[in-house]
Amino acid sequence: MSSKIVLTGVKPTGTPHIGNLLGAIRPAIELGHQVLSEGGEHFMFIADYHAINAEKNPQVLNQKLKEIACVYLAFGLDPNKSVFYRQSDIAEIPEITTILYAYTPKGFMNKAHAYKAVVEKNQMAGKPDDDGVNMGLYTYPTLMAADILAYDTDVVPVGKDQVQHVEIARDIAGIINAHYNKPLLKLPEYFLAEHVAVVPGIDGRKMSKSYDNVIPIFADKSEIKKAVFSIKTDSRPMEEPKNPDEILVYQIYQAIAPQDKVLEMAEGLKQGKLGYGHIKNMLLDAVLEATSEAKEKYDYYMNHFDEVEEMLALGASKARPIAQKTLKRLKDAVFGR
Ligand code: ADP
Ligand code: TRP
């Protein structure tokens, strides 16, 4: 990643859980630190234009935006080093998007995951293909391409579901560069963190807010405890030696506890020395341990959001001039100025 421009966008999706923390938040922040230490640049933004496709309640949107901003700050994003901003503060992004539209084959949008998933759901339900589809959802990858291309991004770290969108951004940039026969836009690459494990939820399926099986990060201790103690277990007695890999509590523990504690739990289970109540308490401690410092910061920022607004304004003031340059380059080429 040396001297690379790395950009990550997050949708404001509400109160995060352990899966989000380990699968998205921590890796993004760590990668940011790494990139910066190697002399590169790190852009991190909240994709609120993307969010309005699905969420139409301003209060809910605003609350979710606040939560996600405070979560990233609480877990160590440094807004003085990373460029941390809100998508809707960068007026050049929709302008760039409009130019990209003219070079984006409609077929790219037809095959994009976010749209196709809704069409498939509609077909299953016997509804018309485009039921509930707005143009924001349909053209989602073009806006995302503008987000990426505006800053001459080299690398976009993503989860599997977003790989295709980065490829679309690259293809659109390629079409424009080929048309004008010059490198107007940098071709981005995606970076897929393969090693990031999927954290199981309290019912054994993937932890996800849509399954209602999450361990929340910043809830009260009693709520976290309730989630941890409702993790599925069987009725085998403590003394019976168990294979740790078959125990759900252990699988979640592996994702969050330090290595030596994980070994301790594994040994205790193998030797029949640890009961389910005990390992659930160990997991509860590990969750609190991993989140308590961040929770204090989170609460602080949520209660002093004016400070966060200043950080986002600082980010926008750094991001906009770059997007303006890209927009000018594009307009000069497109309009022959
Ligand atoms: P949810 O499944 O709760 O709706 P999102 O789809 O909003 O979560 O995911 C936000 C980010 O968190 C994505 O980058 C996703 O890969 C990551 N993530 C979500 N759930 C998990 C999980 N159980 N394990 C690892 N990463 C996860
Ligand atoms: N589509 C991404 C998601 O759902 C969020 C996003 C918007 C994004 N623009 C981006 C991610 C640009 C990376 C780069 O998670």
Side-chain angles (χ1 to χ4, degrees):
M1 295 281 172
S2 60
S3 307
K4 292 267 164 98
I5 299 175
V6 176
L7 173 137
T8 306
V10 278
K11 268 201 295 196
T13 48
T15 325
H17 52 72
I18 302 259
N20 300 142
L21 175 63
L22 301 167
I25 300 165
R26 258 205 211 149
I29 294 171
E30 278 165 14
L31 186 71
H33 289 320
Q34 188 197 327
V35 167
L36 289 164
S37 74
E38 290 168 356
E41 289 172 54
H42 183 229
F43 291 75
M44 173 99 225
F45 72 96
I46 304 169
D48 55 348
Y49 272 135
H50 279 112
I52 61 174
N53 298 327
E55 181 57 69
K56 300 291 190 282
N57 180 328
Q59 278 80 35
V60 174
L61 268 175
N62 194 32
Q63 178 66 18
K64 286 182 172 178
L65 182 128
K66 282 174 78 172
E67 287 177 3
I68 203 82
C70 294
V71 164
Y72 276 86
L73 293 168
F75 280 103
L77 184 82
D78 182 345
N80 292 313
K81 294 189 177 146
S82 296
V83 182
F84 180 48
Y85 61 98
R86 171 162 46 200
Q87 185 186 33
S88 65
D89 283 342
I90 317 295
E92 291 71 23
I93 294 298
E95 276 200 67
I96 294 173
T97 305
T98 301
I99 296 178
L100 300 187
Y101 282 149
Y103 301 82
T104 304
K106 176 168 174 282
F108 282 12
M109 302 297 106
N110 293 340
K111 63 169 193 188
H113 285 320
Y115 169 62
K116 254 176 57 182
V118 178
V119 170
E120 274 161 26
K121 224 167 134 191
N122 281 338
Q123 286 171 346
M124 300 277 275
K127 294 181 183 165
D129 279 10
D130 286 339
D131 196 68
V133 175
N134 56 51
M135 286 305 285
L137 171 66
Y138 185 58
T139 60
Y140 188 108
T142 318
L143 174 58
M144 183 158 158
D147 288 331
I148 297 170
L149 301 174
Y151 308 102
D152 298 329
T153 304
D154 293 296
V155 180
V156 187
V158 285
K160 273 202 196 81
D161 59 327
Q162 298 298 318
V163 166
Q164 185 205 29
H165 294 154
V166 182
E167 285 174 337
I168 290 176
R170 190 182 167 87
D171 288 347
I172 296 173
I175 290 172
I176 293 179
N177 290 348
H179 183 82
Y180 296 100
N181 198 21
K182 56 181 159 193
L184 289 169
L185 297 166
K186 195 186 270 180
L187 303 188
E189 284 172 22
Y190 65 83
F191 170 73
L192 186 61
E194 301 275 8
H195 66 278
V196 176
V198 171
V199 182
I202 60 176
D203 61 356
R205 292 184 291 173
K206 169 189 183 283
M207 189 179 289
S208 169
K209 61 180 171 308
S210 20
Y211 296 149
D212 207 12
N213 64 354
V214 309
I215 301 176
I217 305 180
F218 291 143
D220 289 336
K221 185 177 168 186
S222 61
E223 207 180 311
I224 299 178
K225 185 169 179 182
K226 197 170 137 220
V228 168
F229 276 77
S230 48
I231 295 173
K232 266 211 254 168
T233 46
D234 55 40
S235 53
R236 284 181 289 172
M238 183 178 92
E239 302 73 34
E240 189 179 323
K242 300 176 190 71
N243 175 357
D245 295 331
E246 292 168 1
I247 311 272
L248 185 53
V249 178
Y250 175 77
Q251 289 166 13
I252 304 174
Y253 195 66
Q254 268 186 317
I256 188 128
Q259 198 53 36
D260 56 328
K261 301 291 283 179
V262 172
L263 279 175
E264 189 186 314
M265 188 184 285
E267 281 310 307
L269 286 166
K270 279 187 212 157
Q271 294 168 16
K273 284 187 179 156
L274 286 175
Y276 291 131
H278 198 136
I279 60 171
K280 284 180 174 176
N281 271 315
M282 287 172 78
L283 175 58
L284 177 63
D285 286 345
V287 172
L288 295 175
E289 177 86 17
T291 55
S292 61
E293 199 188 312
K295 179 166 168 45
E296 263 181 46
K297 286 195 199 162
Y298 176 82
D299 290 341
Y300 176 86
Y301 286 126
M302 284 300 279
N303 290 321
H304 299 81
F305 200 73
D306 48 332
E307 291 180 27
V308 180
E309 283 291 359
E310 276 173 30
M311 296 172 192
L312 292 170
L314 171 72
S317 76
K318 292 193 236 170
R320 279 196 78 181
I322 307 170
Q324 273 158 4
K325 263 198 206 159
T326 306
L327 178 61
K328 177 162 188 332
R329 223 163 49 230
L330 276 175
K331 277 177 135 176
D332 286 350
V334 168
F335 299 116
R337 288 176 185 166

